Each structure stands twice: as structure tokens, then as C-alpha cells.
Amino acid sequence: MEIYIVDDYQQLSMKAANFVASQVILKKNTVLGLATGSTPEGMYSRLVQMNHEGIVDFSKVITFNLDEYLGLASEHPQSYHFYMYNHFLAHINIAPQNTHILPGITGDIKKTCREYEQKIREAGGIDLQILGIGINGHIGFNEPGSFLKVQTHLMGLTKETIVANSRFFPTLADVPRQALTMGMGAILQAKRILLLANGKSKARAIQEMVNGRVTTAVPASFLQLHRNLTLVLDKEAASLLP
Ligand code: GLP
């Protein structure tokens, strides 16, 4: 595990964007696993800039998003579809058919999950998976519990996550209670993983993830088993590390 600790959010975003750009420059047809949340916003914005400056070309890149809220249509401003297009995909030269996001509205959840797994496999798996981390140690929407799932699946969100994510919704009652998420399998099988965290609220999850036991109570702790994991943290998120 490689850990970079930077002074602030601006530096975190720059470093993360350089990391992703160097991957795409080296391998034009990179398969990227994308994360949402407030943490990677600065990174996406810098990548858009780098694309416009001609530094990085996304024309051959394939993307798979980690997760989506169940029940939110892609036009819903809080859907991860909306987020991804708004912050990144609509502003770069990516081919729309190369972008994949789990649907928030689907008639057959099991089939949708199966097909998503199949598409990831057909693309050859993920080259670089970008991750944030929940305050409770979740990755994607793989929430803490007595077990974790390997495949893409439907997940009931924990109270902690619903409360944490309510900042994006008018009221707590508006936060979806369920989501579709890539499972631990596709994430851990990614060739490289880049995890970003900033702010004091993430310090405990980062400390447990880096130094704690590998446990389903902290899904991110399984990343300790990955051979090519890079963390970019600001000082506050790293504040409980030894
Ligand atoms: C959300 C997403 C995660 C994200 C996490 C942290 O629930 N499902 O993929 O990493 O929460 O979000 P933020 O970066 O806004 O703190």
C-alpha cells in the first residue's frame, strides 16, 4: 500500500488527476472504475481541464461506475448518473457507448446485476478503480455487516450512510434506502486501486482501513489484501494514522 498525504483538497485533486491521467496516457483503452461523492469532484474537474488542454485523451477509455441509488431516474439531480455526466462524462471526449452506470430504475434487479458483471468481464476487468470511502468504511455501497457480497448486488443502506448522504437531498426522508452496487469482487480484482479521502470525518475509517483488522464491519479493510493500492489523503483524513 502506498500512502500520499497532502496538505489540502486542492493538492489531493491534482495528485489524483495526475495519477488517473498517467494511467490513461500509458494505456489508451484503460478500463476505469469510477466513484461518485464529493471527494473526487476536484479530481474530475482537473481531468476535464487536462482533456481540454490535450494532455489526456479519453476516446478509447471504458468506464464502469460503482453504484447507483435504487429508484432514482438518470435525470434525477441526485442520481449518480446525473453526477457523472455533470462532473465528468459530458465534458470529455469519451464515447457514450463506453460508459456504464447501473440503472436506478430497473424491472429485473438480478438480471441487471448479472449483465453488469458480464460487461465488466467482457471489458477484461477494471484497470484502475477509483474509490472514496464512507465514514463507516463502506466502499461503493458495500456497507458494513456480517457478510459482504462478491458480485454486483442490491444493498440496503445503513442509517449512518443515509444520514451522511442526506446533505445532498431536501430532507432525510428523500434519501433512497437502497442502492445497486458493484460487489467486493470487481473492486478487489481491479489491477490498481486509487482511494481518496479528505476531512476529519474520514479519519477513523482511514485508520481502521489501514491498520485495523480485515473485517466485514469495515468493508474498506479488505483493501489491505490488494497488491496495488494507492491512498491519497489530506492531513485531516490521515490524522489518526501512526
Ligand atoms: C457514497 C458513495 C461512495 C462514496 C462515499 C463517500 O455513499 N456510495 O462511493 O465514496 O459515499 O462520499 P463523499 O466523497 O461525498 O464523502
Side-chain angles (χ1 to χ4, degrees):
M1 183 186 315
E2 247 180 320
I3 306 181
Y4 295 102
I5 300 169
V6 297
D7 285 340
D8 54 27
Y9 183 68
Q10 164 84 356
Q11 284 186 24
L12 175 142
S13 303
M14 293 296 149
K15 213 179 239 321
N18 287 339
F19 192 98
V20 176
S22 67
Q23 164 72 38
V24 174
I25 289 166
L26 286 172
K27 188 179 177 199
K28 267 174 123 26
N29 58 346
T30 286
V31 180
L32 281 181
L34 299 178
T36 52
S38 43
T39 312
E41 277 181 23
M43 174 194 76
Y44 288 133
S45 142
R46 176 63 191 141
L47 282 170
V48 167
Q49 214 181 349
M50 289 169 104
N51 181 234
H52 293 174
E53 288 165 0
I55 299 168
V56 56
D57 169 24
F58 290 97
S59 62
K60 301 277 184 295
V61 167
I62 299 173
T63 65
F64 287 92
N65 260 79
L66 276 169
D67 47 14
E68 179 58 286
Y69 288 114
L70 189 73
L72 298 194
S74 50
E75 310 76 47
H76 191 289
Q78 294 315 328
S79 74
Y80 288 165
H81 272 80
F82 194 91
Y83 171 105
M84 274 329 297
Y85 281 92
N86 193 24
H87 289 289
F88 191 44
L89 299 174
H91 310 293
I92 57 170
N93 68 331
I94 197 161
Q97 69 272 18
N98 286 353
T99 67
H100 305 89
I101 309 179
L102 283 154
I105 295 188
T106 168
D108 188 338
I109 290 173
K110 284 205 169 130
K111 184 164 171 265
T112 299
C113 293
R114 243 191 347 262
E115 287 174 356
Y116 204 65
E117 283 290 322
Q118 177 68 21
K119 280 188 206 146
I120 296 174
R121 260 198 309 277
E122 282 166 7
I126 290 165
D127 290 307
L128 171 59
Q129 177 64 57
I130 298 156
L131 291 176
I133 186 168
I135 49 171
N136 63 0
H138 75 220
I139 47 176
F141 270 132
N142 292 282
E143 292 276 45
S146 54
F147 62 88
L148 295 168
K149 284 194 176 170
V150 173
Q151 313 282 355
T152 301
H153 61 281
L154 176 67
M155 186 78 223
L157 304 184
T158 60
K159 204 166 172 210
E160 243 175 333
T161 296
I162 294 168
V163 170
N165 290 2
S166 66
R167 67 190 195 277
F168 300 113
F169 291 84
T171 71
L172 191 65
D174 295 307
V175 186
R177 268 34 185 178
Q178 290 176 301
L180 298 183
T181 183
M182 237 185 234
M184 298 298 287
I187 296 173
L188 287 170
Q189 283 158 25
K191 295 181 188 84
R192 303 167 84 190
I193 299 178
L194 172 67
L195 185 143
L196 312 176
N198 74 297
K200 260 209 154 43
S201 68
K202 301 292 173 71
R204 185 180 55 89
I206 289 296
Q207 189 240 332
E208 288 178 343
M209 191 221 116
V210 174
N211 295 314
R213 292 181 179 172
V214 175
T215 165
T216 59
V218 183
S221 65
F222 279 77
L223 298 174
Q224 290 176 33
L225 304 173
H226 196 274
R227 62 166 73 215
N228 202 338
L229 168 67
T230 302
L231 307 190
V232 181
L233 313 171
D234 77 343
K235 279 184 190 154
E236 292 187 333
S239 59
L240 296 179
L241 292 181

